[in-house]
Amino acid sequence: MRSDSEPDDAALLREDFAALFDRHAPHIHRYLARRLGDQAADDLVAETFLTAFRRRDTFRADQRDARPWLYGIATLLVAQHRRDEVRRLRLHQAVPAEPDASCHADRVAADVTAAALRDVLTSALADLADGDRDVLLLIVQEELTYEQVAAALDIPVGTVRSRLHRARNILRAALGGSNPLHSTEEGVRHG
């Protein structure tokens, strides 16, 4: 959290763009790396900030935090790479995990379960509508609030809520309607 003595992002956009980059690039890189991998993230971080620099006049001066705006730019860049993302998710699903012969039976069972879960989730994520996937990943991976996602994607908060609800329902259905992280006994106890 920034102190009151630190300049807000609107001031940095006007006066010290390098400081704005230093402040937010790690967050944007992490988001892009999760979506597209490290190599593409390196390129797209640069492109995100180049776009932000070119469009700095469009940033609302009353906003203290540029991160949602930067996430919006990054998300638009991800959309340009959408086919590659879906192709990579499908390929990831098709490549079987390498067996580890040194594991104990419990570890093997856990690995098999994790691999099966990964495949189901990967397929379900690939099948989500683009907007639903963007909202889900910004909330789950980047831990943005609904309001920040709305600002990032330039959509109403109600649309964020409906897209997240739809994405969660699709993922829940893909997982058979239950949380695979809880055993049946735990589900009964906490239920």
Side-chain angles (χ1 to χ4, degrees):
M1 186 169 188
R2 287 191 295 273
S3 70
D4 288 337
S5 64
E6 292 183 78
D8 65 23
D9 289 347
L12 292 179
L13 269 168
R14 292 185 311 271
E15 300 162 11
D16 190 358
F17 196 83
L20 182 83
F21 178 87
D22 291 342
R23 182 180 284 174
H24 295 298
H27 301 285
I28 301 301
H29 186 276
R30 183 185 67 222
Y31 170 65
L32 292 168
R34 286 178 174 167
R35 297 295 304 270
L36 300 171
D38 284 331
Q39 186 174 4
D42 292 341
D43 294 337
L44 288 183
V45 164
E47 195 169 337
T48 297
F49 282 90
L50 180 61
T51 301
F53 183 77
R54 288 180 181 150
R55 295 180 50 209
R56 66 188 178 276
D57 293 339
T58 68
F59 183 74
R60 289 182 27 210
D62 63 328
Q63 299 295 310
R64 290 186 48 88
D65 186 4
R67 200 166 60 140
W69 181 64
L70 293 168
Y71 276 123
I73 293 169
T75 299
L76 290 174
L77 293 172
V78 167
Q80 293 174 1
H81 292 84
R82 186 72 68 204
R83 286 190 201 122
D84 292 338
E85 178 183 37
V86 171
R87 190 176 311 123
R88 190 180 75 254
L89 288 170
R90 296 254 186 243
L91 180 62
H92 184 67
Q93 178 185 15
V95 176
E98 294 183 25
D100 185 359
S102 66
C103 291
H104 294 91
D106 289 343
R107 179 70 178 145
V108 171
D111 287 348
V112 168
T113 301
L117 180 61
R118 181 193 69 224
D119 292 346
V120 170
L121 285 174
T122 299
S123 178
L125 282 171
D127 290 340
L128 286 176
D130 295 345
D132 294 354
R133 186 182 319 111
D134 291 338
V135 166
L136 178 74
L137 294 177
L138 284 169
I139 288 174
V140 173
Q141 288 183 337
E142 299 308 313
E143 300 178 356
L144 294 183
T145 65
Y146 292 171
E147 292 77 15
Q148 289 173 321
V149 172
L153 301 179
D154 195 27
I155 57 176
V157 172
T159 302
V160 171
R161 292 179 190 280
S162 65
R163 288 180 180 180
L164 181 62
H165 179 74
R166 187 172 38 249
R168 285 178 173 164
N169 283 341
I170 291 169
L171 293 179
R172 189 176 298 116
L175 295 171
S178 65
N179 185 342
L181 301 177
H182 297 287
S183 69
T184 305
E185 292 177 16
E186 288 178 346
V188 170
R189 274 196 308 243
H190 300 296

